Amino acid sequence: MLYWGTPPNSGPCFKKFPKFCCPRQRLYPPNLAGQCINKETQRKTKRVNNSQSVASSNSKAAMMDREDGGGGGGGGPTATPRPRKGMGLRTWLVVSESGQSRVEEVGKHVIMRRTGLPARDLRVLDPLLSYPSSILGRERAIVINLEHIKAIVTAKEVLMLYSTNPLVVQFVQDLQHRISSLQALSTQQAGERDEMEREDKAEANLSGPSQHTLRRRASISSNERKDDAPETSVVAGPKVLAFEFRALESCLESACRCLDSETRTLEEEAYPALDELTTKISTLNLERVRQIKSRLVAINGRVQKVRDEIEHLLDDDNDMAEMYLTEKLNASKEEVSDEDDDRSENNSQNFTSFKPNVEELEMLLEAYFAQIDGILQKLSDMSEYVDDTEDCINIMLDDTQNQLLQMGVLLSAANMILNAGIVVVGLFGMNIHITLFDAPTIKFWQTTCGTIGGCLALYLIAVGWGKKKIMLST
């Protein structure tokens, strides 16, 4: 017997007993009707109970928040949850163009939007990953990875991962001092030029500049040359380096200073150890030289990588042009069009056709290329000294081995001749009666001395023949 009902096609009755259900006529057996209805009722009751429990817990939490916040007033603001710290946040040290430093805690995506760098360039700065030394010029930033320095240089600031490494702390102090001193110098020069221009305008009605103005111009130009000589030795005249080049110069100087210090320390340890090894070959001295050679190979590879990176920049003018961030920024500001449709096209054409004079940066890189090349030359000389010492040790060991071989040859010859004497003794020891046994005692001693003398004579003849053939040393 079937009853009229409306069980859905996806209901438990239809899934478990598809043969007994008739979805077209909405009929199902009576023994399944109560089971289906009971299960649906239990699900609805369970959902209602869960919603009531959630509402009650939320109301209790709101009451506790109002009590903690001072109580009394209904409708007060509920406590907002504390924001969780993101997994990608890192502490960055930022040095501005004025020389001031601050610590910021930002994520990777914020740095990417701030500097316009892709994620693969930021991985170069990851201290957990091992990347070789590199200097990458991008559209809005320069990525520098040199020894202990991992920094991002823009036209306005320098960003680097916060570290308590003494080398990094010293680099930050040098960078701040360089930026602040050159900033003050550029401000002073700008003020003196403005004052000189005002005096020229005031004396424009005269036929020519006064003697006081000429003397002042000469003094200003001479002071500018004196002030710029120690700081910006790579540029001629009173022109001050751009911010990104000052930061790059500080990075190169710190890296060269670190490598030069390690090279000098290794030299002080290597030469005495190598000299001591030549005088006394021992296990301790050999272990010391092995460690020194391992350090030498490691430092040589690091210096070679920095040299290759600078040489690569010097060989490619396009890479050097990409590092002129300040000029690119100024050029983009001047040539930006008011039309929104053509703005992207103008910017792309601006950056692709932007070709500054790279002589200034080229002179800066050549100065530090010569310095790093000098460090590499020191390491090469040390490596040659180590090779010469190894050759000397090998010669000494070969000489000792040859002496041992000569001793072995002499002992082998003596053993062979002694065996010949033993053969004679064995012949006389045979149980055969001869007339010599009945001779007087003097005959026995004569035979014995003759056998020994013959063995010695054979030995001397063998040694003399070896010396004559230059197989044995004298």
Side-chain angles (χ1 to χ4, degrees):
M1 183 176 180
L2 300 175
Y3 292 88
W4 187 265
T6 57
N9 294 344
S10 60
C13 176
F14 180 76
K15 290 181 179 180
K16 293 184 178 180
F17 309 98
K19 295 182 180 180
F20 298 99
C21 299
C22 184
R24 292 184 179 178
Q25 299 178 1
R26 299 177 180 270
L27 301 178
Y28 54 89
N31 57 346
L32 299 178
Q35 181 180 357
C36 183
I37 294 172
N38 291 335
K39 289 184 177 180
E40 293 294 332
T41 306
Q42 290 176 2
R43 290 194 188 93
K44 292 180 180 180
T45 305
K46 188 176 181 180
R47 287 196 294 268
V48 171
N49 293 335
N50 292 336
S51 62
Q52 290 178 356
S53 61
V54 172
S56 62
S57 62
N58 291 336
S59 62
K60 290 181 180 179
M63 292 177 62
M64 293 176 64
D65 293 338
R66 285 196 296 270
E67 290 178 358
D68 295 339
T78 59
T80 58
R82 184 175 298 177
R84 295 171 56 187
K85 186 177 180 180
M87 297 299 293
L89 294 181
R90 284 187 176 180
T91 304
W92 293 80
L93 181 64
V94 182
V95 180
S96 62
E97 59 181 349
S98 61
Q100 302 296 326
S101 63
R102 63 183 184 275
V103 178
E104 296 184 4
E105 190 171 354
V106 294
K108 179 177 68 174
H109 297 285
V110 177
I111 296 296
M112 293 170 60
R113 290 193 300 269
R114 190 169 175 177
T115 59
L117 295 174
R120 66 175 180 273
D121 291 340
L122 292 182
R123 282 193 291 270
V124 177
L125 305 178
D126 194 344
L128 301 179
L129 302 177
S130 178
Y131 278 91
S133 298
S134 58
I135 302 175
L136 307 176
R138 295 296 182 256
E139 182 178 346
R140 292 165 49 193
I142 303 174
V143 182
I144 300 175
N145 179 24
L146 295 176
E147 295 300 316
H148 56 279
I149 303 172
K150 299 179 181 294
I152 302 174
V153 180
T154 64
K156 299 295 182 182
E157 59 187 3
V158 179
L159 297 91
M160 64 189 73
L161 290 173
Y162 183 78
S163 175
T164 57
N165 187 357
L167 296 176
V168 178
V169 175
Q170 181 65 29
F171 163 70
V172 173
Q173 294 177 357
D174 295 342
L175 177 62
Q176 291 178 339
H177 176 70
R178 183 183 295 273
I179 292 175
S180 59
S181 61
L182 292 180
Q183 187 71 20
L185 178 62
S186 61
T187 305
Q188 180 181 1
Q189 292 178 3
E192 291 178 350
R193 293 191 186 95
D194 294 339
E195 184 179 356
M196 187 171 58
E197 289 178 358
R198 287 195 299 268
E199 292 181 357
D200 291 341
K201 291 179 180 179
E203 298 176 356
N205 54 351
L206 299 178
S207 59
S210 62
Q211 296 295 330
H212 175 72
T213 304
L214 294 176
R215 287 195 301 269
R216 184 172 182 80
R217 290 180 181 177
S219 62
I220 289 174
S221 60
S222 61
N223 291 333
E224 288 176 350
R225 286 193 296 268
K226 291 180 181 179
D227 292 338
D228 289 342
E231 293 295 334
T232 57
S233 58
V234 296
V235 290
K239 185 177 180 181
V240 180
L241 288 173
F243 174 78
E244 61 269 17
F245 295 156
R246 282 178 276 167
L248 177 61
E249 185 179 6
S250 299
C251 295
L252 292 173
E253 182 180 359
S254 180
C256 293
R257 188 190 308 118
C258 176
L259 293 174
D260 185 60
S261 176
E262 293 186 14
T263 302
R264 283 188 281 104
T265 303
L266 186 60
E267 283 180 342
E268 294 175 358
E269 298 178 6
Y271 288 110
L274 293 172
D275 295 338
E276 186 177 358
L277 180 62
T278 55
T279 57
K280 181 181 179 182
I281 302 175
S282 62
T283 305
L284 181 60
N285 292 336
L286 288 173
E287 180 64 22
R288 287 178 58 190
V289 172
R290 185 190 67 81
Q291 295 177 359
I292 288 173
K293 188 174 182 181
S294 299
R295 291 169 54 191
L296 175 61
V297 171
I299 297 176
N300 194 3
R302 290 158 52 193
V303 174
Q304 184 67 43
K305 183 57 183 175
V306 175
R307 181 184 180 276
D308 293 343
E309 190 65 25
I310 298 177
E311 186 177 9
H312 173 71
L313 290 175
L314 289 173
D315 293 339
D316 196 342
D317 293 342
N318 293 328
D319 290 345
M320 286 192 289
E322 287 289 335
M323 301 173 70
Y324 280 78
L325 305 179
T326 302
E327 293 190 11
K328 286 195 295 185
L329 183 62
N330 296 334
S332 63
K333 289 181 180 179
E334 293 176 357
E335 298 184 5
V336 166
S337 175
D338 295 334
E339 299 179 0
D340 296 336
D341 297 336
D342 299 333
R343 182 174 301 173
S344 60
E345 297 179 0
N346 292 336
N347 289 336
S348 62
Q349 292 176 0
N350 178 30
F351 288 119
T352 54
S353 61
F354 180 76
K355 292 183 179 180
N357 186 11
V358 298
E359 182 180 358
E360 182 180 12
L361 179 58
E362 187 176 3
M363 295 176 64
L364 172 65
L365 294 176
E366 284 178 352
Y368 288 97
F369 178 79
Q371 185 176 355
I372 204 71
D373 194 37
I375 297 174
L376 186 61
Q377 185 63 37
K378 291 181 181 179
L379 294 174
S380 300
D381 295 341
M382 197 185 311
S383 179
E384 291 180 359
Y385 194 82
V386 171
D387 294 339
D388 294 341
T389 304
E390 289 182 352
D391 295 338
C392 180
I393 296 300
N394 291 330
I395 292 172
M396 295 171 63
L397 293 177
D398 292 341
D399 182 66
T400 305
Q401 185 178 6
N402 292 333
Q403 293 178 3
L404 293 175
L405 291 175
Q406 290 181 7
M407 183 179 292
V409 170
L410 294 176
L411 291 177
S412 298
N415 188 20
M416 182 186 66
I417 294 172
L418 182 61
N419 289 332
I422 293 174
V423 169
V424 175
V425 174
L427 291 175
F428 285 105
M430 297 177 65
N431 193 10
I432 298 175
H433 185 76
I434 58 177
T435 58
L436 185 61
F437 293 160
D438 297 334
T441 308
I442 189 64
K443 295 294 183 180
F444 170 77
W445 291 111
Q446 289 178 355
T447 304
T448 303
C449 293
T451 303
I452 296 174
C455 292
L456 291 175
L458 289 176
Y459 180 75
L460 293 176
I461 291 172
V463 171
W465 180 79
K467 291 182 178 180
K468 183 178 181 180
K469 297 295 184 180
I470 318 177
M471 291 188 296
L472 297 175
S473 61
T474 56

